[in-house]
Amino acid sequence: MQMMSSKAQDEPTVDFELCPRFEQTFSFLGKKWNGLIIDVLLHEGPQRFRDLARNIPRCSDRVLVERLKELETNGVIVRRTFPDNALIEYELTDKGEEFKDIMAAVHAWSDKWYCPTEADQK
């Protein structure tokens, strides 16, 4: 979204053409499970795969692996391996931690405005 000056009234007008970064960000966050994975890591801290899978039970292991790889590729999480005991953990990077305020705002908005239907409860 770009602000442009109106020649006739000297009031800014808005060009609603989507910025590619804005579009990519919403596409990335809107991809099923990405937001929830980020939210779990924000609230629970570093997680092993099985802990993430337990916290997000409706996400299949295959899809969870795909999403974790995508989040890692985008620099949102880091996959840490510990060679002495074969432990692998997923943790938010500084970039991922910056979602904290965004996720809090989404929670606040949904608490205020979203009314789940019976179908959503299943």
PDB file of all heavy atoms in Angstrom, residues 81-113:
ATOM      1  N   THR A  81      20.488 -29.537  16.576  1.00  0.00           N
ATOM      2  CA  THR A  81      20.779 -30.938  16.850  1.00  0.00           C
ATOM      3  C   THR A  81      21.841 -31.014  17.927  1.00  0.00           C
ATOM      4  O   THR A  81      22.750 -30.184  17.994  1.00  0.00           O
ATOM      5  CB  THR A  81      21.280 -31.664  15.577  1.00  0.00           C
ATOM      6  OG1 THR A  81      22.422 -30.983  15.079  1.00  0.00           O
ATOM      7  CG2 THR A  81      20.208 -31.701  14.506  1.00  0.00           C
ATOM      8  N   PHE A  82      21.706 -32.003  18.774  1.00  0.00           N
ATOM      9  CA  PHE A  82      22.641 -32.228  19.865  1.00  0.00           C
ATOM     10  C   PHE A  82      23.251 -33.612  19.661  1.00  0.00           C
ATOM     11  O   PHE A  82      22.606 -34.625  19.951  1.00  0.00           O
ATOM     12  CB  PHE A  82      21.917 -32.147  21.218  1.00  0.00           C
ATOM     13  CG  PHE A  82      21.270 -30.807  21.453  1.00  0.00           C
ATOM     14  CD1 PHE A  82      19.974 -30.557  21.017  1.00  0.00           C
ATOM     15  CD2 PHE A  82      21.959 -29.797  22.099  1.00  0.00           C
ATOM     16  CE1 PHE A  82      19.380 -29.325  21.223  1.00  0.00           C
ATOM     17  CE2 PHE A  82      21.374 -28.559  22.307  1.00  0.00           C
ATOM     18  CZ  PHE A  82      20.076 -28.323  21.867  1.00  0.00           C
ATOM     19  N   PRO A  83      24.471 -33.667  19.142  1.00  0.00           N
ATOM     20  CA  PRO A  83      25.062 -34.946  18.740  1.00  0.00           C
ATOM     21  C   PRO A  83      25.261 -35.945  19.886  1.00  0.00           C
ATOM     22  O   PRO A  83      25.222 -37.142  19.664  1.00  0.00           O
ATOM     23  CB  PRO A  83      26.410 -34.553  18.130  1.00  0.00           C
ATOM     24  CG  PRO A  83      26.667 -33.156  18.557  1.00  0.00           C
ATOM     25  CD  PRO A  83      25.356 -32.541  18.915  1.00  0.00           C
ATOM     26  N   ASP A  84      25.434 -35.466  21.108  1.00  0.00           N
ATOM     27  CA  ASP A  84      25.704 -36.388  22.200  1.00  0.00           C
ATOM     28  C   ASP A  84      24.504 -37.264  22.559  1.00  0.00           C
ATOM     29  O   ASP A  84      24.674 -38.344  23.110  1.00  0.00           O
ATOM     30  CB  ASP A  84      26.206 -35.635  23.439  1.00  0.00           C
ATOM     31  CG  ASP A  84      25.253 -34.552  23.897  1.00  0.00           C
ATOM     32  OD1 ASP A  84      24.601 -33.934  23.036  1.00  0.00           O
ATOM     33  OD2 ASP A  84      25.164 -34.329  25.117  1.00  0.00           O
ATOM     34  N   ASN A  85      23.284 -36.812  22.253  1.00  0.00           N
ATOM     35  CA  ASN A  85      22.124 -37.647  22.593  1.00  0.00           C
ATOM     36  C   ASN A  85      21.069 -37.681  21.488  1.00  0.00           C
ATOM     37  O   ASN A  85      19.932 -38.041  21.743  1.00  0.00           O
ATOM     38  CB  ASN A  85      21.499 -37.189  23.911  1.00  0.00           C
ATOM     39  CG  ASN A  85      20.990 -35.764  23.847  1.00  0.00           C
ATOM     40  OD1 ASN A  85      21.032 -35.128  22.803  1.00  0.00           O
ATOM     41  ND2 ASN A  85      20.511 -35.279  24.971  1.00  0.00           N
ATOM     42  N   ALA A  86      21.417 -37.315  20.285  1.00  0.00           N
ATOM     43  CA  ALA A  86      20.528 -37.362  19.122  1.00  0.00           C
ATOM     44  C   ALA A  86      19.255 -36.528  19.299  1.00  0.00           C
ATOM     45  O   ALA A  86      18.266 -36.754  18.627  1.00  0.00           O
ATOM     46  CB  ALA A  86      20.172 -38.804  18.775  1.00  0.00           C
ATOM     47  N   LEU A  87      19.290 -35.563  20.188  1.00  0.00           N
ATOM     48  CA  LEU A  87      18.147 -34.685  20.415  1.00  0.00           C
ATOM     49  C   LEU A  87      18.072 -33.631  19.321  1.00  0.00           C
ATOM     50  O   LEU A  87      19.085 -33.057  18.924  1.00  0.00           O
ATOM     51  CB  LEU A  87      18.287 -34.005  21.785  1.00  0.00           C
ATOM     52  CG  LEU A  87      17.262 -32.943  22.151  1.00  0.00           C
ATOM     53  CD1 LEU A  87      15.909 -33.599  22.380  1.00  0.00           C
ATOM     54  CD2 LEU A  87      17.696 -32.199  23.396  1.00  0.00           C
ATOM     55  N   ILE A  88      16.861 -33.393  18.814  1.00  0.00           N
ATOM     56  CA  ILE A  88      16.623 -32.333  17.836  1.00  0.00           C
ATOM     57  C   ILE A  88      15.524 -31.454  18.402  1.00  0.00           C
ATOM     58  O   ILE A  88      14.483 -31.932  18.827  1.00  0.00           O
ATOM     59  CB  ILE A  88      16.193 -32.903  16.474  1.00  0.00           C
ATOM     60  CG1 ILE A  88      17.304 -33.755  15.882  1.00  0.00           C
ATOM     61  CG2 ILE A  88      15.800 -31.783  15.521  1.00  0.00           C
ATOM     62  CD1 ILE A  88      16.913 -34.499  14.630  1.00  0.00           C
ATOM     63  N   GLU A  89      15.774 -30.139  18.397  1.00  0.00           N
ATOM     64  CA  GLU A  89      14.787 -29.174  18.876  1.00  0.00           C
ATOM     65  C   GLU A  89      14.561 -28.110  17.821  1.00  0.00           C
ATOM     66  O   GLU A  89      15.452 -27.799  17.029  1.00  0.00           O
ATOM     67  CB  GLU A  89      15.290 -28.452  20.134  1.00  0.00           C
ATOM     68  CG  GLU A  89      15.148 -29.208  21.404  1.00  0.00           C
ATOM     69  CD  GLU A  89      15.521 -28.349  22.607  1.00  0.00           C
ATOM     70  OE1 GLU A  89      16.258 -27.351  22.457  1.00  0.00           O
ATOM     71  OE2 GLU A  89      15.062 -28.692  23.693  1.00  0.00           O
ATOM     72  N   TYR A  90      13.370 -27.558  17.850  1.00  0.00           N
ATOM     73  CA  TYR A  90      13.019 -26.437  16.989  1.00  0.00           C
ATOM     74  C   TYR A  90      12.798 -25.230  17.871  1.00  0.00           C
ATOM     75  O   TYR A  90      12.130 -25.315  18.899  1.00  0.00           O
ATOM     76  CB  TYR A  90      11.756 -26.755  16.175  1.00  0.00           C
ATOM     77  CG  TYR A  90      11.980 -27.907  15.238  1.00  0.00           C
ATOM     78  CD1 TYR A  90      11.705 -29.211  15.633  1.00  0.00           C
ATOM     79  CD2 TYR A  90      12.503 -27.693  13.968  1.00  0.00           C
ATOM     80  CE1 TYR A  90      11.932 -30.280  14.780  1.00  0.00           C
ATOM     81  CE2 TYR A  90      12.734 -28.756  13.104  1.00  0.00           C
ATOM     82  CZ  TYR A  90      12.447 -30.045  13.525  1.00  0.00           C
ATOM     83  OH  TYR A  90      12.685 -31.094  12.671  1.00  0.00           O
ATOM     84  N   GLU A  91      13.385 -24.106  17.453  1.00  0.00           N
ATOM     85  CA  GLU A  91      13.329 -22.894  18.261  1.00  0.00           C
ATOM     86  C   GLU A  91      13.153 -21.685  17.341  1.00  0.00           C
ATOM     87  O   GLU A  91      13.657 -21.672  16.222  1.00  0.00           O
ATOM     88  CB  GLU A  91      14.634 -22.769  19.051  1.00  0.00           C
ATOM     89  CG  GLU A  91      14.717 -21.596  19.963  1.00  0.00           C
ATOM     90  CD  GLU A  91      16.021 -21.595  20.775  1.00  0.00           C
ATOM     91  OE1 GLU A  91      16.912 -22.420  20.499  1.00  0.00           O
ATOM     92  OE2 GLU A  91      16.127 -20.750  21.654  1.00  0.00           O
ATOM     93  N   LEU A  92      12.433 -20.682  17.823  1.00  0.00           N
ATOM     94  CA  LEU A  92      12.270 -19.463  17.044  1.00  0.00           C
ATOM     95  C   LEU A  92      13.589 -18.693  16.980  1.00  0.00           C
ATOM     96  O   LEU A  92      14.333 -18.635  17.958  1.00  0.00           O
ATOM     97  CB  LEU A  92      11.207 -18.568  17.666  1.00  0.00           C
ATOM     98  CG  LEU A  92       9.769 -19.063  17.569  1.00  0.00           C
ATOM     99  CD1 LEU A  92       8.851 -18.186  18.406  1.00  0.00           C
ATOM    100  CD2 LEU A  92       9.292 -19.093  16.125  1.00  0.00           C
ATOM    101  N   THR A  93      13.844 -18.095  15.841  1.00  0.00           N
ATOM    102  CA  THR A  93      14.975 -17.182  15.690  1.00  0.00           C
ATOM    103  C   THR A  93      14.509 -15.800  16.154  1.00  0.00           C
ATOM    104  O   THR A  93      13.334 -15.617  16.510  1.00  0.00           O
ATOM    105  CB  THR A  93      15.393 -17.090  14.212  1.00  0.00           C
ATOM    106  OG1 THR A  93      14.279 -16.588  13.460  1.00  0.00           O
ATOM    107  CG2 THR A  93      15.829 -18.450  13.664  1.00  0.00           C
ATOM    108  N   ASP A  94      15.402 -14.828  16.109  1.00  0.00           N
ATOM    109  CA  ASP A  94      14.992 -13.455  16.418  1.00  0.00           C
ATOM    110  C   ASP A  94      13.880 -13.009  15.469  1.00  0.00           C
ATOM    111  O   ASP A  94      12.935 -12.345  15.877  1.00  0.00           O
ATOM    112  CB  ASP A  94      16.181 -12.494  16.321  1.00  0.00           C
ATOM    113  CG  ASP A  94      17.195 -12.702  17.439  1.00  0.00           C
ATOM    114  OD1 ASP A  94      16.838 -13.319  18.469  1.00  0.00           O
ATOM    115  OD2 ASP A  94      18.339 -12.232  17.284  1.00  0.00           O
ATOM    116  N   LYS A  95      14.015 -13.396  14.223  1.00  0.00           N
ATOM    117  CA  LYS A  95      12.986 -13.079  13.221  1.00  0.00           C
ATOM    118  C   LYS A  95      11.643 -13.693  13.632  1.00  0.00           C
ATOM    119  O   LYS A  95      10.598 -13.051  13.543  1.00  0.00           O
ATOM    120  CB  LYS A  95      13.427 -13.615  11.856  1.00  0.00           C
ATOM    121  CG  LYS A  95      12.506 -13.318  10.709  1.00  0.00           C
ATOM    122  CD  LYS A  95      13.115 -13.890   9.415  1.00  0.00           C
ATOM    123  CE  LYS A  95      12.266 -13.642   8.208  1.00  0.00           C
ATOM    124  NZ  LYS A  95      12.884 -14.197   6.985  1.00  0.00           N
ATOM    125  N   GLY A  96      11.663 -14.934  14.092  1.00  0.00           N
ATOM    126  CA  GLY A  96      10.445 -15.605  14.538  1.00  0.00           C
ATOM    127  C   GLY A  96       9.859 -14.990  15.792  1.00  0.00           C
ATOM    128  O   GLY A  96       8.642 -14.881  15.940  1.00  0.00           O
ATOM    129  N   GLU A  97      10.722 -14.565  16.710  1.00  0.00           N
ATOM    130  CA  GLU A  97      10.261 -13.932  17.954  1.00  0.00           C
ATOM    131  C   GLU A  97       9.515 -12.628  17.676  1.00  0.00           C
ATOM    132  O   GLU A  97       8.680 -12.215  18.460  1.00  0.00           O
ATOM    133  CB  GLU A  97      11.441 -13.653  18.886  1.00  0.00           C
ATOM    134  CG  GLU A  97      12.058 -14.890  19.512  1.00  0.00           C
ATOM    135  CD  GLU A  97      11.233 -15.498  20.624  1.00  0.00           C
ATOM    136  OE1 GLU A  97      10.336 -14.817  21.164  1.00  0.00           O
ATOM    137  OE2 GLU A  97      11.493 -16.669  20.952  1.00  0.00           O
ATOM    138  N   GLU A  98       9.815 -12.001  16.536  1.00  0.00           N
ATOM    139  CA  GLU A  98       9.145 -10.746  16.198  1.00  0.00           C
ATOM    140  C   GLU A  98       7.667 -10.936  15.869  1.00  0.00           C
ATOM    141  O   GLU A  98       6.927  -9.972  15.757  1.00  0.00           O
ATOM    142  CB  GLU A  98       9.870 -10.036  15.053  1.00  0.00           C
ATOM    143  CG  GLU A  98      11.202  -9.491  15.525  1.00  0.00           C
ATOM    144  CD  GLU A  98      11.647  -8.269  14.775  1.00  0.00           C
ATOM    145  OE1 GLU A  98      10.800  -7.597  14.144  1.00  0.00           O
ATOM    146  OE2 GLU A  98      12.840  -7.987  14.818  1.00  0.00           O
ATOM    147  N   PHE A  99       7.213 -12.168  15.758  1.00  0.00           N
ATOM    148  CA  PHE A  99       5.791 -12.446  15.555  1.00  0.00           C
ATOM    149  C   PHE A  99       4.991 -12.328  16.860  1.00  0.00           C
ATOM    150  O   PHE A  99       3.768 -12.393  16.832  1.00  0.00           O
ATOM    151  CB  PHE A  99       5.578 -13.853  14.979  1.00  0.00           C
ATOM    152  CG  PHE A  99       5.837 -13.949  13.503  1.00  0.00           C
ATOM    153  CD1 PHE A  99       6.944 -14.637  13.032  1.00  0.00           C
ATOM    154  CD2 PHE A  99       4.978 -13.364  12.585  1.00  0.00           C
ATOM    155  CE1 PHE A  99       7.184 -14.744  11.671  1.00  0.00           C
ATOM    156  CE2 PHE A  99       5.211 -13.457  11.228  1.00  0.00           C
ATOM    157  CZ  PHE A  99       6.316 -14.156  10.762  1.00  0.00           C
ATOM    158  N   LYS A 100       5.669 -12.145  17.984  1.00  0.00           N
ATOM    159  CA  LYS A 100       4.996 -12.132  19.289  1.00  0.00           C
ATOM    160  C   LYS A 100       3.847 -11.121  19.341  1.00  0.00           C
ATOM    161  O   LYS A 100       2.722 -11.467  19.697  1.00  0.00           O
ATOM    162  CB  LYS A 100       6.007 -11.847  20.397  1.00  0.00           C
ATOM    163  CG  LYS A 100       5.415 -11.930  21.776  1.00  0.00           C
ATOM    164  CD  LYS A 100       6.481 -11.723  22.844  1.00  0.00           C
ATOM    165  CE  LYS A 100       5.873 -11.908  24.225  1.00  0.00           C
ATOM    166  NZ  LYS A 100       6.873 -11.813  25.264  1.00  0.00           N
ATOM    167  N   ASP A 101       4.107  -9.874  18.984  1.00  0.00           N
ATOM    168  CA  ASP A 101       3.062  -8.845  19.030  1.00  0.00           C
ATOM    169  C   ASP A 101       1.969  -9.103  17.997  1.00  0.00           C
ATOM    170  O   ASP A 101       0.788  -8.852  18.255  1.00  0.00           O
ATOM    171  CB  ASP A 101       3.662  -7.454  18.823  1.00  0.00           C
ATOM    172  CG  ASP A 101       4.544  -7.022  19.992  1.00  0.00           C
ATOM    173  OD1 ASP A 101       4.397  -7.576  21.102  1.00  0.00           O
ATOM    174  OD2 ASP A 101       5.376  -6.115  19.791  1.00  0.00           O
ATOM    175  N   ILE A 102       2.353  -9.605  16.841  1.00  0.00           N
ATOM    176  CA  ILE A 102       1.381  -9.907  15.785  1.00  0.00           C
ATOM    177  C   ILE A 102       0.436 -11.007  16.258  1.00  0.00           C
ATOM    178  O   ILE A 102      -0.791 -10.888  16.127  1.00  0.00           O
ATOM    179  CB  ILE A 102       2.098 -10.326  14.484  1.00  0.00           C
ATOM    180  CG1 ILE A 102       2.901  -9.160  13.929  1.00  0.00           C
ATOM    181  CG2 ILE A 102       1.117 -10.885  13.456  1.00  0.00           C
ATOM    182  CD1 ILE A 102       3.904  -9.539  12.863  1.00  0.00           C
ATOM    183  N   MET A 103       0.988 -12.059  16.826  1.00  0.00           N
ATOM    184  CA  MET A 103       0.158 -13.170  17.293  1.00  0.00           C
ATOM    185  C   MET A 103      -0.730 -12.738  18.454  1.00  0.00           C
ATOM    186  O   MET A 103      -1.888 -13.150  18.538  1.00  0.00           O
ATOM    187  CB  MET A 103       1.033 -14.365  17.680  1.00  0.00           C
ATOM    188  CG  MET A 103       1.842 -14.929  16.522  1.00  0.00           C
ATOM    189  SD  MET A 103       0.886 -15.368  15.071  1.00  0.00           S
ATOM    190  CE  MET A 103       0.192 -16.907  15.593  1.00  0.00           C
ATOM    191  N   ALA A 104      -0.216 -11.889  19.332  1.00  0.00           N
ATOM    192  CA  ALA A 104      -1.035 -11.375  20.438  1.00  0.00           C
ATOM    193  C   ALA A 104      -2.207 -10.560  19.889  1.00  0.00           C
ATOM    194  O   ALA A 104      -3.338 -10.670  20.383  1.00  0.00           O
ATOM    195  CB  ALA A 104      -0.185 -10.534  21.380  1.00  0.00           C
ATOM    196  N   ALA A 105      -1.954  -9.765  18.864  1.00  0.00           N
ATOM    197  CA  ALA A 105      -3.025  -8.968  18.258  1.00  0.00           C
ATOM    198  C   ALA A 105      -4.060  -9.869  17.583  1.00  0.00           C
ATOM    199  O   ALA A 105      -5.265  -9.614  17.683  1.00  0.00           O
ATOM    200  CB  ALA A 105      -2.442  -7.978  17.252  1.00  0.00           C
ATOM    201  N   VAL A 106      -3.620 -10.923  16.922  1.00  0.00           N
ATOM    202  CA  VAL A 106      -4.552 -11.857  16.290  1.00  0.00           C
ATOM    203  C   VAL A 106      -5.410 -12.545  17.351  1.00  0.00           C
ATOM    204  O   VAL A 106      -6.627 -12.676  17.193  1.00  0.00           O
ATOM    205  CB  VAL A 106      -3.797 -12.900  15.420  1.00  0.00           C
ATOM    206  CG1 VAL A 106      -4.719 -14.028  14.977  1.00  0.00           C
ATOM    207  CG2 VAL A 106      -3.156 -12.229  14.213  1.00  0.00           C
ATOM    208  N   HIS A 107      -4.789 -12.950  18.449  1.00  0.00           N
ATOM    209  CA  HIS A 107      -5.555 -13.574  19.545  1.00  0.00           C
ATOM    210  C   HIS A 107      -6.581 -12.593  20.107  1.00  0.00           C
ATOM    211  O   HIS A 107      -7.737 -12.966  20.339  1.00  0.00           O
ATOM    212  CB  HIS A 107      -4.622 -14.046  20.667  1.00  0.00           C
ATOM    213  CG  HIS A 107      -3.974 -15.353  20.393  1.00  0.00           C
ATOM    214  ND1 HIS A 107      -4.649 -16.550  20.425  1.00  0.00           N
ATOM    215  CD2 HIS A 107      -2.695 -15.655  20.079  1.00  0.00           C
ATOM    216  CE1 HIS A 107      -3.816 -17.539  20.142  1.00  0.00           C
ATOM    217  NE2 HIS A 107      -2.624 -17.024  19.925  1.00  0.00           N
ATOM    218  N   ALA A 108      -6.179 -11.367  20.338  1.00  0.00           N
ATOM    219  CA  ALA A 108      -7.094 -10.360  20.898  1.00  0.00           C
ATOM    220  C   ALA A 108      -8.260 -10.115  19.944  1.00  0.00           C
ATOM    221  O   ALA A 108      -9.424 -10.048  20.370  1.00  0.00           O
ATOM    222  CB  ALA A 108      -6.348  -9.058  21.178  1.00  0.00           C
ATOM    223  N   TRP A 109      -7.970  -9.994  18.642  1.00  0.00           N
ATOM    224  CA  TRP A 109      -9.029  -9.773  17.666  1.00  0.00           C
ATOM    225  C   TRP A 109      -9.983 -10.966  17.629  1.00  0.00           C
ATOM    226  O   TRP A 109     -11.203 -10.801  17.651  1.00  0.00           O
ATOM    227  CB  TRP A 109      -8.431  -9.523  16.283  1.00  0.00           C
ATOM    228  CG  TRP A 109      -9.483  -9.214  15.265  1.00  0.00           C
ATOM    229  CD1 TRP A 109      -9.959  -7.982  14.934  1.00  0.00           C
ATOM    230  CD2 TRP A 109     -10.198 -10.158  14.452  1.00  0.00           C
ATOM    231  NE1 TRP A 109     -10.932  -8.112  13.966  1.00  0.00           N
ATOM    232  CE2 TRP A 109     -11.102  -9.435  13.659  1.00  0.00           C
ATOM    233  CE3 TRP A 109     -10.166 -11.546  14.334  1.00  0.00           C
ATOM    234  CZ2 TRP A 109     -11.959 -10.033  12.743  1.00  0.00           C
ATOM    235  CZ3 TRP A 109     -11.025 -12.153  13.431  1.00  0.00           C
ATOM    236  CH2 TRP A 109     -11.900 -11.403  12.646  1.00  0.00           C
ATOM    237  N   SER A 110      -9.433 -12.174  17.580  1.00  0.00           N
ATOM    238  CA  SER A 110     -10.298 -13.354  17.480  1.00  0.00           C
ATOM    239  C   SER A 110     -11.118 -13.557  18.753  1.00  0.00           C
ATOM    240  O   SER A 110     -12.266 -13.986  18.686  1.00  0.00           O
ATOM    241  CB  SER A 110      -9.490 -14.608  17.136  1.00  0.00           C
ATOM    242  OG  SER A 110      -8.579 -14.913  18.169  1.00  0.00           O
ATOM    243  N   ASP A 111     -10.541 -13.237  19.911  1.00  0.00           N
ATOM    244  CA  ASP A 111     -11.312 -13.331  21.160  1.00  0.00           C
ATOM    245  C   ASP A 111     -12.490 -12.375  21.151  1.00  0.00           C
ATOM    246  O   ASP A 111     -13.555 -12.664  21.694  1.00  0.00           O
ATOM    247  CB  ASP A 111     -10.424 -13.031  22.368  1.00  0.00           C
ATOM    248  CG  ASP A 111      -9.428 -14.147  22.660  1.00  0.00           C
ATOM    249  OD1 ASP A 111      -9.586 -15.261  22.112  1.00  0.00           O
ATOM    250  OD2 ASP A 111      -8.483 -13.895  23.431  1.00  0.00           O
ATOM    251  N   LYS A 112     -12.307 -11.226  20.526  1.00  0.00           N
ATOM    252  CA  LYS A 112     -13.362 -10.212  20.507  1.00  0.00           C
ATOM    253  C   LYS A 112     -14.406 -10.474  19.413  1.00  0.00           C
ATOM    254  O   LYS A 112     -15.596 -10.287  19.639  1.00  0.00           O
ATOM    255  CB  LYS A 112     -12.745  -8.829  20.299  1.00  0.00           C
ATOM    256  CG  LYS A 112     -13.761  -7.703  20.296  1.00  0.00           C
ATOM    257  CD  LYS A 112     -13.078  -6.355  20.180  1.00  0.00           C
ATOM    258  CE  LYS A 112     -14.106  -5.224  20.206  1.00  0.00           C
ATOM    259  NZ  LYS A 112     -13.458  -3.913  20.132  1.00  0.00           N
ATOM    260  N   TRP A 113     -13.978 -10.910  18.238  1.00  0.00           N
ATOM    261  CA  TRP A 113     -14.866 -10.927  17.086  1.00  0.00           C
ATOM    262  C   TRP A 113     -15.233 -12.293  16.530  1.00  0.00           C
ATOM    263  O   TRP A 113     -16.222 -12.405  15.802  1.00  0.00           O
ATOM    264  CB  TRP A 113     -14.249 -10.110  15.951  1.00  0.00           C
ATOM    265  CG  TRP A 113     -14.150  -8.670  16.307  1.00  0.00           C
ATOM    266  CD1 TRP A 113     -13.010  -7.990  16.642  1.00  0.00           C
ATOM    267  CD2 TRP A 113     -15.205  -7.719  16.392  1.00  0.00           C
ATOM    268  NE1 TRP A 113     -13.299  -6.685  16.923  1.00  0.00           N
ATOM    269  CE2 TRP A 113     -14.653  -6.483  16.774  1.00  0.00           C
ATOM    270  CE3 TRP A 113     -16.580  -7.791  16.180  1.00  0.00           C
ATOM    271  CZ2 TRP A 113     -15.411  -5.344  16.933  1.00  0.00           C
ATOM    272  CZ3 TRP A 113     -17.338  -6.656  16.336  1.00  0.00           C
ATOM    273  CH2 TRP A 113     -16.755  -5.444  16.715  1.00  0.00           C
TER     274      TRP A 113
END
